[in-house]
Amino acid sequence: MKSNTDDKNQALAKIRLDKWLWAARFYRTRTLAKEAIESGRVHYGGSRVKTSKEISVGDELTIRQGSATAMTEKTVIVEALTAQRGNAAAAQVLYSETEESEVRRAYYAEQRKLANLARPDNKPNKKERRDIQRFKSKQE
């Protein structure tokens, strides 16, 4: 007779992609994970997948997250499977990010920082605005 733990281990040989993304804390809800998969932000083996795709340990996923201006793309390898959502420390055990992905994300983060250096920290006050207008009118 099979024990209860054997049933759980056999059941977790594969798990639905949307459930795993939710459990690994890439998305706050399974609905958001489902929408991300359906919109093509999650790729399995370099191609789009369906929500019900079953993944197993060792599979490689490419996940795009964030807004259009701060999009990050992670390539992760599935290290463990679970259907329960735990805390952040437990979620980090479920996957490992590839070195290439970490380097690429660091590069793009640096580029975003450099792009923001051109912006001033605060808006000009009334006197500074008047000075700018006087300077511009002298230039014309």
Side-chain angles (χ1 to χ4, degrees), residues 91-135:
Q92 287 179 340
V93 176
L94 298 178
Y95 64 91
S96 63
E97 189 173 1
T98 62
E99 270 188 52
E100 178 185 308
S101 174
E102 289 175 355
V103 170
R104 185 175 54 231
R105 279 192 321 115
Y107 171 76
Y108 285 124
E110 186 67 28
Q111 293 299 314
R112 280 195 300 274
K113 283 182 188 176
L114 292 174
N116 283 333
L117 288 178
R119 295 183 183 168
D121 292 335
N122 54 8
K123 291 200 256 182
N125 61 25
K126 191 170 185 176
K127 182 183 182 314
E128 291 168 340
R129 283 195 307 270
R130 286 180 176 162
D131 290 342
I132 291 170
Q133 286 173 346
R134 276 192 216 109
F135 179 74

mmCIF file of all heavy atoms in Angstrom, residues 91-135:
data_model
loop_
_atom_site.group_PDB
_atom_site.id
_atom_site.type_symbol
_atom_site.label_atom_id
_atom_site.label_comp_id
_atom_site.label_asym_id
_atom_site.label_seq_id
_atom_site.Cartn_x
_atom_site.Cartn_y
_atom_site.Cartn_z
ATOM 1 N N ALA A 91 10.508 30.403 -1.535
ATOM 2 C CA ALA A 91 10.323 30.545 -2.976
ATOM 3 C C ALA A 91 11.660 30.567 -3.711
ATOM 4 O O ALA A 91 11.759 30.065 -4.834
ATOM 5 C CB ALA A 91 9.545 31.821 -3.273
ATOM 6 N N GLN A 92 12.697 31.132 -3.118
ATOM 7 C CA GLN A 92 13.999 31.209 -3.772
ATOM 8 C C GLN A 92 14.642 29.848 -3.944
ATOM 9 O O GLN A 92 15.492 29.673 -4.807
ATOM 10 C CB GLN A 92 14.932 32.136 -3.000
ATOM 11 C CG GLN A 92 14.556 33.587 -3.155
ATOM 12 C CD GLN A 92 15.477 34.506 -2.374
ATOM 13 O OE1 GLN A 92 16.148 34.078 -1.447
ATOM 14 N NE2 GLN A 92 15.494 35.768 -2.754
ATOM 15 N N VAL A 93 14.215 28.886 -3.154
ATOM 16 C CA VAL A 93 14.753 27.529 -3.262
ATOM 17 C C VAL A 93 14.180 26.821 -4.494
ATOM 18 O O VAL A 93 14.779 25.884 -5.011
ATOM 19 C CB VAL A 93 14.420 26.736 -1.972
ATOM 20 C CG1 VAL A 93 14.859 25.298 -2.060
ATOM 21 C CG2 VAL A 93 15.061 27.414 -0.774
ATOM 22 N N LEU A 94 13.057 27.308 -4.993
ATOM 23 C CA LEU A 94 12.372 26.639 -6.095
ATOM 24 C C LEU A 94 13.057 26.841 -7.447
ATOM 25 O O LEU A 94 12.786 26.095 -8.385
ATOM 26 C CB LEU A 94 10.927 27.134 -6.194
ATOM 27 C CG LEU A 94 10.038 26.864 -4.990
ATOM 28 C CD1 LEU A 94 8.656 27.441 -5.209
ATOM 29 C CD2 LEU A 94 9.967 25.380 -4.698
ATOM 30 N N TYR A 95 13.912 27.841 -7.568
ATOM 31 C CA TYR A 95 14.541 28.122 -8.867
ATOM 32 C C TYR A 95 15.934 28.701 -8.669
ATOM 33 O O TYR A 95 16.292 29.150 -7.590
ATOM 34 C CB TYR A 95 13.691 29.101 -9.682
ATOM 35 C CG TYR A 95 13.565 30.465 -9.065
ATOM 36 C CD1 TYR A 95 14.463 31.478 -9.379
ATOM 37 C CD2 TYR A 95 12.557 30.752 -8.155
ATOM 38 C CE1 TYR A 95 14.356 32.726 -8.811
ATOM 39 C CE2 TYR A 95 12.444 32.007 -7.580
ATOM 40 C CZ TYR A 95 13.337 32.982 -7.912
ATOM 41 O OH TYR A 95 13.240 34.221 -7.351
ATOM 42 N N SER A 96 16.715 28.669 -9.758
ATOM 43 C CA SER A 96 18.006 29.359 -9.766
ATOM 44 C C SER A 96 18.101 30.127 -11.075
ATOM 45 O O SER A 96 17.735 29.618 -12.131
ATOM 46 C CB SER A 96 19.155 28.363 -9.633
ATOM 47 O OG SER A 96 19.175 27.493 -10.733
ATOM 48 N N GLU A 97 18.571 31.344 -10.984
ATOM 49 C CA GLU A 97 18.705 32.188 -12.168
ATOM 50 C C GLU A 97 20.053 31.907 -12.827
ATOM 51 O O GLU A 97 21.063 31.727 -12.147
ATOM 52 C CB GLU A 97 18.604 33.658 -11.781
ATOM 53 C CG GLU A 97 18.526 34.584 -12.963
ATOM 54 C CD GLU A 97 18.258 36.020 -12.566
ATOM 55 O OE1 GLU A 97 18.155 36.308 -11.366
ATOM 56 O OE2 GLU A 97 18.164 36.857 -13.472
ATOM 57 N N THR A 98 20.080 31.863 -14.153
ATOM 58 C CA THR A 98 21.332 31.589 -14.858
ATOM 59 C C THR A 98 22.265 32.793 -14.741
ATOM 60 O O THR A 98 21.818 33.927 -14.571
ATOM 61 C CB THR A 98 21.077 31.288 -16.347
ATOM 62 O OG1 THR A 98 20.480 32.435 -16.956
ATOM 63 C CG2 THR A 98 20.172 30.086 -16.515
ATOM 64 N N GLU A 99 23.571 32.540 -14.841
ATOM 65 C CA GLU A 99 24.554 33.626 -14.742
ATOM 66 C C GLU A 99 24.360 34.650 -15.845
ATOM 67 O O GLU A 99 24.461 35.861 -15.623
ATOM 68 C CB GLU A 99 25.969 33.049 -14.828
ATOM 69 C CG GLU A 99 26.553 32.672 -13.501
ATOM 70 C CD GLU A 99 28.014 32.299 -13.619
ATOM 71 O OE1 GLU A 99 28.794 33.084 -14.199
ATOM 72 O OE2 GLU A 99 28.361 31.214 -13.141
ATOM 73 N N GLU A 100 24.110 34.171 -17.050
ATOM 74 C CA GLU A 100 23.909 35.066 -18.196
ATOM 75 C C GLU A 100 22.738 36.009 -17.926
ATOM 76 O O GLU A 100 22.808 37.205 -18.220
ATOM 77 C CB GLU A 100 23.632 34.231 -19.448
ATOM 78 C CG GLU A 100 23.351 35.033 -20.688
ATOM 79 C CD GLU A 100 22.958 34.136 -21.851
ATOM 80 O OE1 GLU A 100 23.690 33.187 -22.152
ATOM 81 O OE2 GLU A 100 21.899 34.407 -22.451
ATOM 82 N N SER A 101 21.684 35.498 -17.344
ATOM 83 C CA SER A 101 20.512 36.303 -17.035
ATOM 84 C C SER A 101 20.841 37.360 -15.983
ATOM 85 O O SER A 101 20.415 38.515 -16.096
ATOM 86 C CB SER A 101 19.389 35.396 -16.543
ATOM 87 O OG SER A 101 18.286 36.149 -16.114
ATOM 88 N N GLU A 102 21.595 36.989 -14.961
ATOM 89 C CA GLU A 102 21.975 37.944 -13.918
ATOM 90 C C GLU A 102 22.824 39.077 -14.483
ATOM 91 O O GLU A 102 22.623 40.243 -14.153
ATOM 92 C CB GLU A 102 22.732 37.235 -12.799
ATOM 93 C CG GLU A 102 21.863 36.330 -11.953
ATOM 94 C CD GLU A 102 22.644 35.539 -10.933
ATOM 95 O OE1 GLU A 102 23.901 35.610 -10.934
ATOM 96 O OE2 GLU A 102 22.018 34.838 -10.131
ATOM 97 N N VAL A 103 23.773 38.737 -15.353
ATOM 98 C CA VAL A 103 24.641 39.746 -15.968
ATOM 99 C C VAL A 103 23.816 40.688 -16.845
ATOM 100 O O VAL A 103 23.977 41.914 -16.795
ATOM 101 C CB VAL A 103 25.762 39.068 -16.793
ATOM 102 C CG1 VAL A 103 26.512 40.071 -17.640
ATOM 103 C CG2 VAL A 103 26.705 38.322 -15.872
ATOM 104 N N ARG A 104 22.900 40.124 -17.618
ATOM 105 C CA ARG A 104 22.056 40.932 -18.514
ATOM 106 C C ARG A 104 21.168 41.871 -17.706
ATOM 107 O O ARG A 104 21.048 43.055 -18.031
ATOM 108 C CB ARG A 104 21.209 39.999 -19.394
ATOM 109 C CG ARG A 104 20.392 40.722 -20.444
ATOM 110 C CD ARG A 104 19.670 39.765 -21.375
ATOM 111 N NE ARG A 104 18.872 38.805 -20.623
ATOM 112 C CZ ARG A 104 18.931 37.492 -20.796
ATOM 113 N NH1 ARG A 104 19.735 36.972 -21.675
ATOM 114 N NH2 ARG A 104 18.172 36.688 -20.074
ATOM 115 N N ARG A 105 20.571 41.389 -16.624
ATOM 116 C CA ARG A 105 19.719 42.243 -15.796
ATOM 117 C C ARG A 105 20.517 43.355 -15.138
ATOM 118 O O ARG A 105 20.063 44.490 -15.046
ATOM 119 C CB ARG A 105 18.999 41.415 -14.725
ATOM 120 C CG ARG A 105 17.786 40.705 -15.247
ATOM 121 C CD ARG A 105 16.886 40.107 -14.195
ATOM 122 N NE ARG A 105 17.541 39.493 -13.062
ATOM 123 C CZ ARG A 105 17.450 39.934 -11.812
ATOM 124 N NH1 ARG A 105 16.756 40.997 -11.522
ATOM 125 N NH2 ARG A 105 18.068 39.296 -10.830
ATOM 126 N N ALA A 106 21.740 43.049 -14.681
ATOM 127 C CA ALA A 106 22.589 44.068 -14.064
ATOM 128 C C ALA A 106 22.957 45.146 -15.085
ATOM 129 O O ALA A 106 22.962 46.345 -14.759
ATOM 130 C CB ALA A 106 23.839 43.428 -13.491
ATOM 131 N N TYR A 107 23.248 44.736 -16.311
ATOM 132 C CA TYR A 107 23.602 45.686 -17.368
ATOM 133 C C TYR A 107 22.431 46.634 -17.643
ATOM 134 O O TYR A 107 22.609 47.862 -17.711
ATOM 135 C CB TYR A 107 23.991 44.937 -18.644
ATOM 136 C CG TYR A 107 24.158 45.836 -19.840
ATOM 137 C CD1 TYR A 107 25.282 46.634 -19.982
ATOM 138 C CD2 TYR A 107 23.172 45.910 -20.821
ATOM 139 C CE1 TYR A 107 25.432 47.479 -21.063
ATOM 140 C CE2 TYR A 107 23.307 46.737 -21.913
ATOM 141 C CZ TYR A 107 24.438 47.519 -22.036
ATOM 142 O OH TYR A 107 24.574 48.354 -23.116
ATOM 143 N N TYR A 108 21.228 46.083 -17.797
ATOM 144 C CA TYR A 108 20.066 46.929 -18.093
ATOM 145 C C TYR A 108 19.705 47.823 -16.909
ATOM 146 O O TYR A 108 19.272 48.967 -17.104
ATOM 147 C CB TYR A 108 18.867 46.083 -18.523
ATOM 148 C CG TYR A 108 19.010 45.563 -19.937
ATOM 149 C CD1 TYR A 108 18.935 44.214 -20.212
ATOM 150 C CD2 TYR A 108 19.249 46.432 -20.990
ATOM 151 C CE1 TYR A 108 19.088 43.735 -21.500
ATOM 152 C CE2 TYR A 108 19.405 45.968 -22.285
ATOM 153 C CZ TYR A 108 19.323 44.622 -22.531
ATOM 154 O OH TYR A 108 19.479 44.155 -23.811
ATOM 155 N N ALA A 109 19.905 47.358 -15.698
ATOM 156 C CA ALA A 109 19.649 48.193 -14.522
ATOM 157 C C ALA A 109 20.609 49.379 -14.505
ATOM 158 O O ALA A 109 20.218 50.508 -14.191
ATOM 159 C CB ALA A 109 19.787 47.369 -13.253
ATOM 160 N N GLU A 110 21.867 49.119 -14.851
ATOM 161 C CA GLU A 110 22.859 50.193 -14.923
ATOM 162 C C GLU A 110 22.492 51.206 -16.006
ATOM 163 O O GLU A 110 22.622 52.421 -15.799
ATOM 164 C CB GLU A 110 24.243 49.598 -15.201
ATOM 165 C CG GLU A 110 25.359 50.598 -15.158
ATOM 166 C CD GLU A 110 25.608 51.159 -13.769
ATOM 167 O OE1 GLU A 110 25.320 50.461 -12.783
ATOM 168 O OE2 GLU A 110 26.087 52.298 -13.685
ATOM 169 N N GLN A 111 22.023 50.728 -17.146
ATOM 170 C CA GLN A 111 21.608 51.626 -18.228
ATOM 171 C C GLN A 111 20.437 52.509 -17.796
ATOM 172 O O GLN A 111 20.396 53.689 -18.125
ATOM 173 C CB GLN A 111 21.234 50.820 -19.480
ATOM 174 C CG GLN A 111 22.400 50.102 -20.121
ATOM 175 C CD GLN A 111 23.478 51.067 -20.577
ATOM 176 O OE1 GLN A 111 23.198 52.085 -21.190
ATOM 177 N NE2 GLN A 111 24.714 50.749 -20.246
ATOM 178 N N ARG A 112 19.480 51.939 -17.062
ATOM 179 C CA ARG A 112 18.342 52.730 -16.573
ATOM 180 C C ARG A 112 18.806 53.804 -15.599
ATOM 181 O O ARG A 112 18.326 54.942 -15.626
ATOM 182 C CB ARG A 112 17.306 51.824 -15.905
ATOM 183 C CG ARG A 112 16.406 51.102 -16.892
ATOM 184 C CD ARG A 112 15.197 50.510 -16.210
ATOM 185 N NE ARG A 112 15.524 49.540 -15.184
ATOM 186 C CZ ARG A 112 15.746 48.242 -15.404
ATOM 187 N NH1 ARG A 112 15.680 47.764 -16.623
ATOM 188 N NH2 ARG A 112 16.019 47.430 -14.405
ATOM 189 N N LYS A 113 19.776 53.455 -14.736
ATOM 190 C CA LYS A 113 20.306 54.444 -13.793
ATOM 191 C C LYS A 113 20.987 55.584 -14.536
ATOM 192 O O LYS A 113 20.817 56.758 -14.198
ATOM 193 C CB LYS A 113 21.308 53.788 -12.844
ATOM 194 C CG LYS A 113 20.684 52.983 -11.753
ATOM 195 C CD LYS A 113 21.742 52.413 -10.849
ATOM 196 C CE LYS A 113 21.155 51.439 -9.858
ATOM 197 N NZ LYS A 113 22.187 50.800 -9.041
ATOM 198 N N LEU A 114 21.788 55.253 -15.550
ATOM 199 C CA LEU A 114 22.479 56.285 -16.316
ATOM 200 C C LEU A 114 21.500 57.180 -17.055
ATOM 201 O O LEU A 114 21.725 58.386 -17.198
ATOM 202 C CB LEU A 114 23.458 55.644 -17.303
ATOM 203 C CG LEU A 114 24.665 54.949 -16.662
ATOM 204 C CD1 LEU A 114 25.468 54.223 -17.726
ATOM 205 C CD2 LEU A 114 25.524 55.940 -15.918
ATOM 206 N N ALA A 115 20.409 56.616 -17.546
ATOM 207 C CA ALA A 115 19.410 57.411 -18.252
ATOM 208 C C ALA A 115 18.726 58.391 -17.308
ATOM 209 O O ALA A 115 18.321 59.482 -17.720
ATOM 210 C CB ALA A 115 18.375 56.495 -18.899
ATOM 211 N N ASN A 116 18.597 58.052 -16.041
ATOM 212 C CA ASN A 116 17.939 58.936 -15.073
ATOM 213 C C ASN A 116 18.855 60.017 -14.529
ATOM 214 O O ASN A 116 18.390 60.939 -13.870
ATOM 215 C CB ASN A 116 17.371 58.111 -13.912
ATOM 216 C CG ASN A 116 16.098 57.405 -14.294
ATOM 217 O OD1 ASN A 116 15.375 57.850 -15.168
ATOM 218 N ND2 ASN A 116 15.824 56.293 -13.643
ATOM 219 N N LEU A 117 20.160 59.921 -14.777
ATOM 220 C CA LEU A 117 21.080 60.936 -14.266
ATOM 221 C C LEU A 117 20.863 62.289 -14.924
ATOM 222 O O LEU A 117 21.192 63.324 -14.351
ATOM 223 C CB LEU A 117 22.527 60.489 -14.464
ATOM 224 C CG LEU A 117 22.996 59.356 -13.564
ATOM 225 C CD1 LEU A 117 24.439 58.993 -13.904
ATOM 226 C CD2 LEU A 117 22.897 59.743 -12.104
ATOM 227 N N ALA A 118 20.326 62.305 -16.142
ATOM 228 C CA ALA A 118 20.114 63.560 -16.853
ATOM 229 C C ALA A 118 18.963 64.362 -16.256
ATOM 230 O O ALA A 118 18.854 65.559 -16.491
ATOM 231 C CB ALA A 118 19.831 63.287 -18.325
ATOM 232 N N ARG A 119 18.124 63.718 -15.486
ATOM 233 C CA ARG A 119 16.982 64.410 -14.891
ATOM 234 C C ARG A 119 17.396 65.094 -13.591
ATOM 235 O O ARG A 119 18.132 64.535 -12.803
ATOM 236 C CB ARG A 119 15.868 63.413 -14.587
ATOM 237 C CG ARG A 119 15.298 62.788 -15.813
ATOM 238 C CD ARG A 119 14.166 61.877 -15.447
ATOM 239 N NE ARG A 119 13.673 61.221 -16.646
ATOM 240 C CZ ARG A 119 12.857 60.212 -16.628
ATOM 241 N NH1 ARG A 119 12.430 59.723 -15.484
ATOM 242 N NH2 ARG A 119 12.439 59.670 -17.758
ATOM 243 N N PRO A 120 16.882 66.307 -13.363
ATOM 244 C CA PRO A 120 17.183 66.973 -12.086
ATOM 245 C C PRO A 120 16.442 66.284 -10.943
ATOM 246 O O PRO A 120 15.433 65.614 -11.150
ATOM 247 C CB PRO A 120 16.677 68.395 -12.296
ATOM 248 C CG PRO A 120 15.688 68.303 -13.397
ATOM 249 C CD PRO A 120 16.104 67.144 -14.256
ATOM 250 N N ASP A 121 16.933 66.478 -9.742
ATOM 251 C CA ASP A 121 16.312 65.861 -8.572
ATOM 252 C C ASP A 121 14.973 66.498 -8.209
ATOM 253 O O ASP A 121 14.107 65.846 -7.641
ATOM 254 C CB ASP A 121 17.248 65.942 -7.363
ATOM 255 C CG ASP A 121 18.476 65.071 -7.552
ATOM 256 O OD1 ASP A 121 18.397 64.098 -8.326
ATOM 257 O OD2 ASP A 121 19.505 65.368 -6.916
ATOM 258 N N ASN A 122 14.831 67.791 -8.525
ATOM 259 C CA ASN A 122 13.581 68.471 -8.193
ATOM 260 C C ASN A 122 13.237 69.480 -9.279
ATOM 261 O O ASN A 122 14.059 69.832 -10.108
ATOM 262 C CB ASN A 122 13.680 69.154 -6.836
ATOM 263 C CG ASN A 122 14.878 70.078 -6.766
ATOM 264 O OD1 ASN A 122 15.548 70.323 -7.764
ATOM 265 N ND2 ASN A 122 15.152 70.607 -5.575
ATOM 266 N N LYS A 123 11.993 69.975 -9.226
ATOM 267 C CA LYS A 123 11.555 70.964 -10.203
ATOM 268 C C LYS A 123 12.129 72.331 -9.832
ATOM 269 O O LYS A 123 12.341 72.608 -8.644
ATOM 270 C CB LYS A 123 10.036 71.056 -10.200
ATOM 271 C CG LYS A 123 9.355 69.824 -10.749
ATOM 272 C CD LYS A 123 7.950 70.147 -11.157
ATOM 273 C CE LYS A 123 6.870 69.703 -10.286
ATOM 274 N NZ LYS A 123 5.533 69.965 -10.691
ATOM 275 N N PRO A 124 12.346 73.169 -10.846
ATOM 276 C CA PRO A 124 12.833 74.515 -10.515
ATOM 277 C C PRO A 124 11.758 75.301 -9.775
ATOM 278 O O PRO A 124 10.569 75.165 -10.064
ATOM 279 C CB PRO A 124 13.132 75.138 -11.877
ATOM 280 C CG PRO A 124 12.482 74.291 -12.881
ATOM 281 C CD PRO A 124 12.248 72.957 -12.282
ATOM 282 N N ASN A 125 12.201 76.151 -8.842
ATOM 283 C CA ASN A 125 11.239 76.984 -8.124
ATOM 284 C C ASN A 125 10.896 78.200 -8.988
ATOM 285 O O ASN A 125 11.373 78.332 -10.116
ATOM 286 C CB ASN A 125 11.765 77.382 -6.744
ATOM 287 C CG ASN A 125 13.044 78.185 -6.818
ATOM 288 O OD1 ASN A 125 13.312 78.844 -7.837
ATOM 289 N ND2 ASN A 125 13.839 78.125 -5.763
ATOM 290 N N LYS A 126 10.086 79.102 -8.437
ATOM 291 C CA LYS A 126 9.589 80.225 -9.218
ATOM 292 C C LYS A 126 10.732 81.124 -9.719
ATOM 293 O O LYS A 126 10.760 81.511 -10.887
ATOM 294 C CB LYS A 126 8.619 81.044 -8.372
ATOM 295 C CG LYS A 126 7.841 82.063 -9.139
ATOM 296 C CD LYS A 126 6.755 82.646 -8.258
ATOM 297 C CE LYS A 126 5.862 83.589 -9.020
ATOM 298 N NZ LYS A 126 4.759 84.085 -8.195
ATOM 299 N N LYS A 127 11.715 81.414 -8.878
ATOM 300 C CA LYS A 127 12.833 82.259 -9.272
ATOM 301 C C LYS A 127 13.659 81.589 -10.365
ATOM 302 O O LYS A 127 14.053 82.232 -11.347
ATOM 303 C CB LYS A 127 13.721 82.580 -8.066
ATOM 304 C CG LYS A 127 14.882 83.493 -8.424
ATOM 305 C CD LYS A 127 15.775 83.721 -7.231
ATOM 306 C CE LYS A 127 16.918 84.649 -7.502
ATOM 307 N NZ LYS A 127 17.662 84.446 -8.703
ATOM 308 N N GLU A 128 13.912 80.296 -10.203
ATOM 309 C CA GLU A 128 14.706 79.574 -11.201
ATOM 310 C C GLU A 128 13.972 79.512 -12.549
ATOM 311 O O GLU A 128 14.595 79.626 -13.612
ATOM 312 C CB GLU A 128 15.020 78.156 -10.696
ATOM 313 C CG GLU A 128 15.983 78.156 -9.516
ATOM 314 C CD GLU A 128 16.084 76.813 -8.831
ATOM 315 O OE1 GLU A 128 15.168 75.976 -8.991
ATOM 316 O OE2 GLU A 128 17.084 76.601 -8.118
ATOM 317 N N ARG A 129 12.650 79.348 -12.513
ATOM 318 C CA ARG A 129 11.874 79.347 -13.762
ATOM 319 C C ARG A 129 11.975 80.694 -14.472
ATOM 320 O O ARG A 129 12.138 80.771 -15.684
ATOM 321 C CB ARG A 129 10.405 79.004 -13.477
ATOM 322 C CG ARG A 129 10.152 77.535 -13.229
ATOM 323 C CD ARG A 129 8.670 77.198 -13.306
ATOM 324 N NE ARG A 129 7.828 78.014 -12.462
ATOM 325 C CZ ARG A 129 7.492 77.740 -11.195
ATOM 326 N NH1 ARG A 129 7.967 76.644 -10.626
ATOM 327 N NH2 ARG A 129 6.705 78.535 -10.519
ATOM 328 N N ARG A 130 11.894 81.775 -13.711
ATOM 329 C CA ARG A 130 12.017 83.113 -14.304
ATOM 330 C C ARG A 130 13.409 83.320 -14.902
ATOM 331 O O ARG A 130 13.549 83.902 -15.975
ATOM 332 C CB ARG A 130 11.727 84.182 -13.253
ATOM 333 C CG ARG A 130 10.257 84.278 -12.921
ATOM 334 C CD ARG A 130 10.001 85.336 -11.888
ATOM 335 N NE ARG A 130 8.563 85.476 -11.652
ATOM 336 C CZ ARG A 130 8.037 86.062 -10.599
ATOM 337 N NH1 ARG A 130 8.832 86.579 -9.669
ATOM 338 N NH2 ARG A 130 6.743 86.155 -10.460
ATOM 339 N N ASP A 131 14.436 82.839 -14.193
ATOM 340 C CA ASP A 131 15.800 82.943 -14.719
ATOM 341 C C ASP A 131 15.948 82.158 -16.030
ATOM 342 O O ASP A 131 16.594 82.623 -16.976
ATOM 343 C CB ASP A 131 16.813 82.444 -13.697
ATOM 344 C CG ASP A 131 16.941 83.370 -12.483
ATOM 345 O OD1 ASP A 131 16.509 84.551 -12.602
ATOM 346 O OD2 ASP A 131 17.468 82.914 -11.458
ATOM 347 N N ILE A 132 15.358 81.006 -16.089
ATOM 348 C CA ILE A 132 15.415 80.182 -17.313
ATOM 349 C C ILE A 132 14.710 80.900 -18.451
ATOM 350 O O ILE A 132 15.213 80.953 -19.578
ATOM 351 C CB ILE A 132 14.789 78.787 -17.054
ATOM 352 C CG1 ILE A 132 15.680 77.973 -16.109
ATOM 353 C CG2 ILE A 132 14.578 78.028 -18.363
ATOM 354 C CD1 ILE A 132 15.029 76.695 -15.599
ATOM 355 N N GLN A 133 13.544 81.496 -18.167
ATOM 356 C CA GLN A 133 12.814 82.216 -19.207
ATOM 357 C C GLN A 133 13.604 83.424 -19.702
ATOM 358 O O GLN A 133 13.666 83.695 -20.904
ATOM 359 C CB GLN A 133 11.449 82.671 -18.686
ATOM 360 C CG GLN A 133 10.464 81.516 -18.564
ATOM 361 C CD GLN A 133 9.168 81.944 -17.888
ATOM 362 O OE1 GLN A 133 9.082 83.022 -17.286
ATOM 363 N NE2 GLN A 133 8.166 81.078 -17.974
ATOM 364 N N ARG A 134 14.243 84.162 -18.789
ATOM 365 C CA ARG A 134 15.076 85.309 -19.187
ATOM 366 C C ARG A 134 16.245 84.837 -20.058
ATOM 367 O O ARG A 134 16.555 85.470 -21.065
ATOM 368 C CB ARG A 134 15.628 86.021 -17.949
ATOM 369 C CG ARG A 134 14.659 87.000 -17.366
ATOM 370 C CD ARG A 134 15.316 87.898 -16.322
ATOM 371 N NE ARG A 134 14.339 88.152 -15.278
ATOM 372 C CZ ARG A 134 14.379 87.664 -14.039
ATOM 373 N NH1 ARG A 134 15.395 86.945 -13.638
ATOM 374 N NH2 ARG A 134 13.433 87.944 -13.193
ATOM 375 N N PHE A 135 16.867 83.754 -19.665
ATOM 376 C CA PHE A 135 17.998 83.227 -20.435
ATOM 377 C C PHE A 135 17.561 82.807 -21.836
ATOM 378 O O PHE A 135 18.224 83.129 -22.821
ATOM 379 C CB PHE A 135 18.592 82.021 -19.691
ATOM 380 C CG PHE A 135 19.736 81.384 -20.407
ATOM 381 C CD1 PHE A 135 20.979 81.981 -20.455
ATOM 382 C CD2 PHE A 135 19.555 80.179 -21.081
ATOM 383 C CE1 PHE A 135 22.038 81.397 -21.126
ATOM 384 C CE2 PHE A 135 20.600 79.580 -21.747
ATOM 385 C CZ PHE A 135 21.866 80.180 -21.782
#
